[in-house]
Amino acid sequence: MLETFLEFEFLRNTFYTGLLIGLIAPLLGTFIVVRRLSLIADGLSHVTLSGIAFGLFLEKKIALLAISPYYAGIGFSIIGAMIIEYLRSIYQSFQEIAIPIILSVGVGLSVIFISLADGFNTDLYAYLFGSVAAVSRHDLYFILGITLFIVAAVFFFYKELFAVSFDEEYAKVAGIHAKYVHLLFILLTALTISASIRIVGVLLVSALMTLPVASSIRVAKSFKQAIFYSIIFGEISVIAGLISGYYFEIPPGGTIVVSLAIILGITLLFKSRKS
Amino acid sequence: MNAKNGGIGMDSTAPVLSVNQLDYKYEQQNVLEGVTFSIQKGSFAGLVGPNGSGKTTLIQLILGLLRLQEGNIELFGTPIQKFKNWNKISFVSQKANTFNRGFPATVYEVVAMGLTGNIGYFRFFNRLHKKQIYQAIENVGMSDYVHRNIGDLSGGQQQRVFIARSLVSQPELLILDEPTVGVDTENVERFYKMLARLNKQEGITLLLVSHDIGTITSYVTDLLCLNKTIHYHGNPSEFYQKSDEEISKFYGHSMHAISHDH
């Protein structure tokens, strides 16, 4: 099955891209889940959608090809991440309010740009639910670059990211620049989301960041184990989801999430530790 | 956070902490008024006061988490504005044991966190750091739990882990804010005994903040009673001998302050 899948170049690109996001989405997802910020991924993915819609609009109306919808999505995602941080610093006692604000503005802008770009088309469908056919070689290299950057950033700032995630106040007293570490974290999240959208789509990207972690924290004893297992679960689901999605002609977003849900079900049965 | 700045203005005979004429206001409300005291090296100081007496504000000022309004604070003889040697001070927060209990972290990982600031950016844990981590875990008697999940431990055990996290950077002053909240009564005694041992054997100066004036008086060397201002500073045994009237003044004042708040 895998052999036929790898036979065509565009499928190979999709497959390798899938492996890359199966690594970075659960990696960042572990930090997101333990910080109880699971909804941030949803907020940012909808901002990314508005960027993609903006890119599609430019493509259609102004024929401005310099900014592809995908890059516009990344740009919007990063700006959205910084706005979330800004809102969180303004509403210190209601930090979660930043997420519905950014999510609804993201959806609102998306609706506007989508109708300005003459409504739904197949491109948009691929961005919403993911696609096995959407990845060019150029995209693959770009996502490889993002992956290397994210893995290096987490490697070098692991102890700071861990300390800030576990106990932000303590991290500050210990002399860590919690604000900057947090900004780095949210920028990495924005990059991960925009990289993952190619395969799993806007609507399901947060699932790839949170479901593997929901499974891994059932079985992990340490934080490093939690990261390790969530990556394993993420990769298994991406591989299973891509292959089954291809054979049944279903967008891979759906099949990947169902694979993740099956793994979650197994870990729930396997061990019932309070979490 | 590094040793390079260590020498500036350091004075080995100066008190570890000295607070002078400290006032602090939130909006129009005075929280601290003319707070003055100092803590000498090697002492085990207990700072007690009822809820709303300004304890937490005072600690946040000492830790540099709040900006001074009036008065001044010296740490190891250096004015707090110029103080750079924050690795000499460690803090166990009242919130330490309100952490997310589902957090997948082992005792080792939590204690290792205490070295994060000292090691600095772009540097990694080495063999010496690992030894320090195991040593700190042993110092609080948690060696049997090194690789256990922190959420699976009892409140008292968790609190000892957080002490270990504060000790691992080998601080000279350890500040504890209500460390026994959530620890069951029989373990509170054990906890204080452990602190007293760390104070004697490791020579760490302790500042323990509590709303409970009972148990701690038998362990501390200095007792400070705070209610907006310092009402008593001295030997804990003398506090009970001479000051029936002073105790009632202290608590009477507190009742007054509380009724004002609501």
Side-chain angles (χ1 to χ4, degrees), chain A residues 28 149-150 153-154 161 183-193:
Chain A
L28 260 291
F149 176 73
I150 288 171
V154 172
L161 285 166
L183 186 64
L184 171 75
F185 159 77
I186 201 146
L187 289 176
L188 294 177
T189 305
L191 281 177
T192 305
I193 287 168

Side-chain angles (χ1 to χ4, degrees), chain A residues 14 62 83 181 224 237 250:
Chain A
T14 305
I62 312 176
I83 294 174
V181 173
K224 281 185 176 156
S237 313
I250 299 167

Side-chain angles (χ1 to χ4, degrees), chain A residues 159 167 170 174 177 221-223, chain B residues 104 109 117 120-121 123 149:
Chain A
K159 65 184 190 311
D167 185 345
Y170 178 81
H177 300 88
K221 279 203 175 63
S222 68
F223 192 69
Chain B
E109 286 178 313
Y121 295 105
R123 287 166 185 275
N149 191 297

Side-chain angles (χ1 to χ4, degrees), chain A residues 38-47 99 103 193 202-203 205-207:
Chain A
S38 301
L39 289 171
I40 270 193
D42 272 310
L44 286 177
S45 65
H46 286 81
V47 173
I99 294 165
L103 194 145
I193 287 168
V202 166
L203 298 178
V205 64
S206 69

Side-chain angles (χ1 to χ4, degrees), chain A residues 193-266:
Chain A
I193 287 168
S194 36
S196 309
I197 274 172
R198 266 288 192 248
I199 305 284
V200 284
V202 166
L203 298 178
L204 296 170
V205 64
S206 69
L208 188 58
M209 303 189 85
T210 52
L211 262 69
V213 186
S215 307
S216 82
I217 56 177
R218 307 293 296 187
V219 289
K221 279 203 175 63
S222 68
F223 192 69
K224 281 185 176 156
Q225 268 183 20
I227 292 178
F228 178 75
Y229 288 132
S230 54
I231 291 172
I232 297 287
F233 295 152
E235 294 288 15
I236 292 172
S237 313
V238 165
I239 294 168
L242 278 177
I243 294 174
S244 56
Y246 174 68
Y247 279 99
F248 298 117
E249 296 183 8
I250 299 167
T255 49
I256 289 171
V257 171
V258 170
S259 310
L260 289 167
I262 291 169
I263 291 173
L264 179 62
I266 293 168

Side-chain angles (χ1 to χ4, degrees), chain B residues 11-261:
Chain B
D11 178 356
S12 57
T13 60
V16 168
L17 167 67
S18 115
V19 173
N20 199 1
Q21 289 300 326
L22 208 61
D23 291 352
Y24 198 86
K25 269 184 213 174
Y26 286 111
E27 313 273 317
Q28 293 303 311
Q29 191 164 13
N30 285 336
V31 185
L32 299 173
E33 287 168 358
V35 173
T36 303
F37 66 94
S38 62
I39 292 175
Q40 300 299 326
K41 189 171 163 53
S43 52
F44 182 172
L47 177 74
V48 297
N51 289 325
S53 57
K55 295 180 306 254
T56 301
T57 304
L58 178 58
I59 295 307
Q60 288 182 322
L61 286 165
I62 292 169
L63 291 168
L65 295 173
L66 286 176
R67 207 173 285 260
L68 289 183
Q69 291 174 347
E70 293 292 330
N72 56 58
I73 295 175
E74 285 188 6
L75 297 164
F76 300 94
T78 309
I80 191 164
Q81 295 88 344
K82 290 185 190 158
F83 188 72
K84 292 280 195 291
N85 256 329
W86 287 102
N87 56 1
K88 284 190 164 193
I89 300 173
S90 219
F91 174 55
V92 179
S93 161
Q94 164 180 29
K95 284 190 223 143
N97 58 8
T98 61
F99 72 101
N100 173 0
R101 267 152 224 267
F103 200 108
T106 60
V107 168
Y108 182 91
E109 286 178 313
V110 172
V111 175
M113 204 184 301
L115 284 173
T116 307
N118 291 51
I119 294 174
Y121 295 105
F122 297 106
R123 287 166 185 275
F124 300 93
F125 291 98
N126 62 30
R127 214 187 293 161
L128 183 71
H129 297 133
K130 282 179 187 158
K131 228 172 121 184
Q132 274 173 267
I133 294 164
Y134 279 106
Q135 183 64 45
I137 294 172
E138 199 189 315
N139 261 338
V140 297
M142 289 296 290
S143 293
D144 294 339
Y145 300 88
V146 175
H147 298 295
R148 287 282 291 277
N149 191 297
I150 180 94
D152 292 343
L153 305 178
S154 74
Q157 291 172 324
Q158 285 170 354
Q159 201 53 275
R160 284 196 272 163
V161 173
F162 291 121
I163 304 287
R165 178 177 69 173
S166 301
L167 292 177
V168 70
S169 57
Q170 298 171 329
E172 290 179 33
L173 170 64
L174 178 60
I175 300 174
L176 306 108
D177 188 7
E178 305 272 7
T180 54
V181 172
V183 177
D184 46 290
T185 30
E186 50 189 292
N187 282 316
V188 167
E189 290 271 333
R190 266 182 74 191
F191 184 77
Y192 287 139
K193 275 186 190 139
M194 183 197 79
L195 290 180
R197 183 176 55 78
L198 288 170
N199 173 245
K200 282 208 190 81
Q201 289 176 7
E202 312 282 324
I204 301 166
T205 310
L206 297 175
L207 173 59
L208 172 67
V209 180
S210 177
H211 68 274
D212 162 35
I213 201 167
T215 331
I216 75 160
T217 46
S218 40
Y219 296 96
V220 298
T221 57
D222 288 49
L223 183 68
L224 296 112
C225 297
L226 177 77
N227 198 351
K228 287 194 182 176
T229 187
I230 299 286
H231 286 269
Y232 178 84
H233 182 189
N235 192 306
S237 51
E238 281 167 30
F239 177 73
Y240 279 117
Q241 277 167 21
K242 70 170 181 182
S243 56
D244 254 10
E245 153 197 337
E246 212 161 341
I247 295 173
S248 65
K249 188 178 119 196
F250 177 62
Y251 278 102
H253 202 96
S254 83
M255 297 307 284
H256 185 67
I258 287 166
S259 64
H260 246 299
D261 285 345

